[in-house]
Amino acid sequence: MEFSLDNVVFDSEAVRRFDVDAPRYTSYPTADRFIDGFVPARDELGPRRRESGSALSLYIHLPFCSAICYYCACNKIVTNDHRRSTKYLRYLAKEMALRRACPEKGEGCEGRHAVEQLHLGGGTPTFLSDDELGRLMETVRGHFDLVEGGEYSIEAAPRGLKRVTLKRLVELGFNRLSVGVQDFDEAVQRAIHRVQPEKETRDVIETARAAGFRSIGVDLMYGLPKQSVDSFERTLDHVIAISPDRLSVYNYAHLPALFKPQRRIDSADLPAPEERLRILSLTIRKLIGAGYVFIGMDHFARPDDELAVAQRERRLHRNFQGYSTRPDCDMLAFGVSSISRAGSAYYQNAKTLGEYYARLDQGELPVSRGIRLNADDLLRRAAIQSLMCHFELSFDAFGAAYGIDFADYFSAELAELGAMQKAGLLSIERDRVSISPMGRMLVRVISAVFDRHLRNDRERRRYSKVI
């Protein structure tokens, strides 16, 4: 099973050979390396003034869902009680106020900080009522300036999503919508406890376009129970007819020992490894054949979408939400379990509502763990980012930026890449490493070679399969 389209080659033999457990590299070091009890430095707690004028990004985690999806591995709270979300919004406001305070002065920081990117994730952010969404955005704008032309996105579940809510979201400033679909097949939907008629999803997307959203993405998932090549092809045909601007096609990782809802999925219903490969092969062929650009890993976009434009202009970046159009920006994250990136540090909030509320009631930021990167971490983070986003590493660029001889510093890694070069996944030249079209499907495996932490204890860590 092999084919070549656009900028990617799918070779099932290469995938079988190199399909190992590897991180998704939404950060480096990865979140499982964070240290409990981490205390951020003063300039890492709030927005930092930087001479470069680089963008600031915000993420807000809204954990509430009205129903449970069995495949889900997110930090969520299943409820229909809006008293819980109302309370949560009050604590988000407390956290933002604390984060805006200058630690060294104990007062509000001078000036306001411009934000070019905002993402509301969950859970199901559209669990919030229209009034709650309005109060949340009033709080955000009370602390930050959302600049004109920025990317302001929200995740949505189509089930029960009203037209008036979509219009309200545009009024509040949102311009990008991410719609969870996973699969349109009824048998699959019943198996994952997410019954969502195709017509309802289509109506939501058409209404969102008419309301003024400039980019609409759809999330799919392969490897789910009851899926087959034929059933997923029907889903793809329906999705292509809807014509979203972006598509994410995730590999379902069945880890019931870690995620309790997955224990309700019968492992006997999962497609066999060969069937998963055929589903992935079909997906790539159909999406590229329909005019989508392969961005990387599991992301596709129309050629005129901001994500595809950012890739062509080498502005593509990777963060905790996946591929991003805003390169190398600080991200301040709010809410339970959310992860911030500020300069050379990552830090994560408490994972339970009880601890999150208790810390804020004490006037403390609810940070529970994190990590501060050393010089080697920063260098490796940049190398992994370059591979994940641009499919290449320039030795000269790294030498100029970090004052190293790349080939000497990474001699062990380049030696390990030799086997991948022989397999046709990449080429190692005098001044660069370039991932071939065949290697792009396995960019996580290639990037993992530069992961010092993984190299030291691979046998003790558990990640999902790449494919």
Side-chain angles (χ1 to χ4, degrees):
M1 190 193 327
E2 180 178 347
F3 66 84
S4 175
L5 285 171
D6 192 41
N7 61 347
V8 60
V9 170
F10 185 90
D11 186 307
S12 59
E13 291 302 318
V15 168
R16 272 190 289 267
R17 178 180 173 186
F18 292 98
D19 185 19
V20 298
D21 296 358
R24 299 184 63 80
Y25 291 116
T26 51
S27 72
Y28 179 82
T30 50
D32 57 322
R33 312 290 172 175
F34 292 1
I35 300 167
D36 291 338
F38 177 82
V39 179
R42 287 182 175 182
D43 66 344
E44 294 162 351
L45 287 171
R48 298 176 305 136
R49 293 194 177 278
R50 300 170 66 180
E51 292 182 2
S52 63
S54 60
L56 181 66
S57 178
L58 303 182
Y59 172 73
I60 301 173
H61 189 72
L62 302 165
F64 304 102
C65 294
S66 58
I68 194 166
C69 301
Y70 294 163
Y71 63 85
C72 185
C74 298
N75 186 334
K76 72 251 174 222
I77 296 166
V78 180
T79 183
N80 282 304
D81 184 355
H82 276 264
R83 289 175 299 181
R84 301 187 72 180
S85 54
T86 297
K87 178 180 180 180
Y88 186 75
L89 292 180
R90 291 200 305 269
Y91 278 86
L92 281 175
K94 282 187 178 185
E95 185 184 1
M96 289 187 196
L98 280 174
R99 194 75 68 87
R100 277 279 294 139
C102 288
E104 65 273 19
K105 297 180 181 178
E107 59 188 27
C109 293
E110 180 184 354
R112 290 165 57 84
H113 297 272
V115 169
E116 293 188 1
Q117 189 174 53
L118 167 69
H119 184 81
L120 269 55
T124 306
T126 49
F127 171 91
L128 299 184
S129 68
D130 292 358
D131 287 343
E132 287 174 324
L133 287 165
R135 290 200 299 274
L136 173 59
M137 292 307 296
E138 183 178 356
T139 299
V140 171
R141 293 181 185 277
H143 295 291
F144 303 97
D145 286 328
L146 274 58
V147 302
E148 186 176 354
E151 184 178 86
Y152 308 122
S153 61
I154 183 170
E155 298 171 8
R159 293 171 294 176
L161 188 57
K162 299 177 181 178
R163 291 173 179 262
V164 66
T165 296
L166 290 166
K167 294 177 181 178
R168 179 61 174 150
L169 288 171
V170 172
E171 292 172 357
L172 292 172
F174 291 97
N175 51 35
R176 197 175 84 74
L177 186 71
S178 178
V179 179
V181 171
Q182 317 319 332
D183 197 311
F184 280 135
D185 185 86
E186 291 184 16
V188 176
Q189 290 184 352
R190 286 194 298 272
I192 63 175
H193 200 241
R194 187 189 177 100
V195 177
Q196 182 176 305
E198 184 256 335
K199 182 181 184 302
E200 186 173 23
T201 301
R202 181 188 290 271
D203 288 347
V204 164
I205 291 176
E206 289 176 353
T207 301
R209 283 199 181 104
F213 281 93
R214 74 182 186 213
S215 179
I216 297 173
V218 164
D219 293 341
L220 300 177
M221 188 171 285
Y222 71 95
L224 292 172
K226 305 290 186 179
Q227 269 183 349
S228 68
V229 172
D230 290 341
S231 72
F232 204 66
E233 182 168 22
R234 290 191 292 272
T235 288
L236 288 169
D237 287 339
H238 288 303
V239 170
I240 289 169
I242 293 172
S243 191
D245 301 280
R246 300 180 188 180
L247 278 151
S248 299
V249 188
Y250 297 112
N251 171 26
Y252 170 62
H254 189 60
L255 301 170
L258 296 178
F259 307 111
K260 289 183 179 180
Q262 294 185 0
R263 297 172 191 175
R264 304 186 191 187
I265 292 176
D266 187 346
S267 59
D269 289 335
L270 299 174
E274 283 299 319
E275 186 79 349
R276 291 168 72 106
L277 277 183
R278 285 191 287 269
I279 292 172
L280 178 60
S281 171
L282 168 78
T283 300
I284 297 168
R285 282 190 284 113
K286 288 189 76 76
L287 292 182
I288 293 179
Y292 289 92
V293 176
F294 177 70
I295 301 298
M297 282 182 53
D298 35 38
H299 284 57
F300 300 80
R302 293 214 168 275
D304 59 348
D305 186 82
E306 284 182 284
L307 205 60
V309 174
Q311 184 184 56
R312 290 196 298 273
E313 296 179 353
R314 298 184 68 82
R315 292 185 291 104
L316 198 64
H317 181 66
R318 192 156 175 80
N319 61 25
F320 290 105
Q321 281 69 62
Y323 285 104
S324 167
T325 59
R326 266 52 179 186
D328 195 29
C329 60
D330 281 353
M331 172 181 285
L332 298 186
F334 300 92
V336 64
S337 78
S338 64
I339 304 176
S340 295
R341 167 187 162 166
S344 61
Y346 295 107
Y347 52 93
Q348 183 173 26
N349 280 351
K351 292 185 177 182
T352 67
L353 282 182
E355 184 181 356
Y356 177 73
Y357 291 160
R359 294 286 295 274
L360 288 168
D361 282 339
Q362 294 167 10
E364 301 174 0
L365 283 171
V367 176
S368 64
R369 63 186 193 132
I371 190 169
R372 186 167 293 105
L373 282 62
N374 59 31
D376 179 74
D377 290 330
L378 292 169
L379 177 56
R380 291 175 184 275
R381 178 172 76 177
I384 290 171
Q385 277 276 341
S386 185
L387 289 171
M388 297 290 289
C389 296
H390 311 307
F391 302 117
E392 71 172 16
L393 288 171
S394 166
F395 298 175
D396 292 342
F398 273 82
Y402 295 93
I404 63 165
D405 182 313
F406 189 95
D408 180 62
Y409 193 97
F410 289 113
S411 58
E413 287 78 6
L414 292 174
E416 188 173 339
L417 291 177
M420 296 181 181
Q421 178 172 235
K422 290 179 181 177
L425 303 187
L426 52 86
S427 63
I428 304 173
E429 302 169 24
R430 180 191 61 80
D431 62 342
R432 70 187 57 246
V433 172
S434 300
I435 299 178
S436 70
M438 187 169 74
R440 293 184 178 193
M441 290 302 305
L442 294 161
V443 64
R444 283 168 63 185
V445 180
I446 297 169
S447 298
V449 171
F450 290 88
D451 187 335
R452 177 177 55 83
H453 301 276
L454 183 62
R455 179 188 294 271
N456 290 342
D457 66 350
R458 177 183 289 274
E459 71 280 0
R460 291 190 288 133
R461 298 287 168 171
R462 178 68 189 272
Y463 301 99
S464 63
K465 291 288 187 184
V466 170
I467 303 299

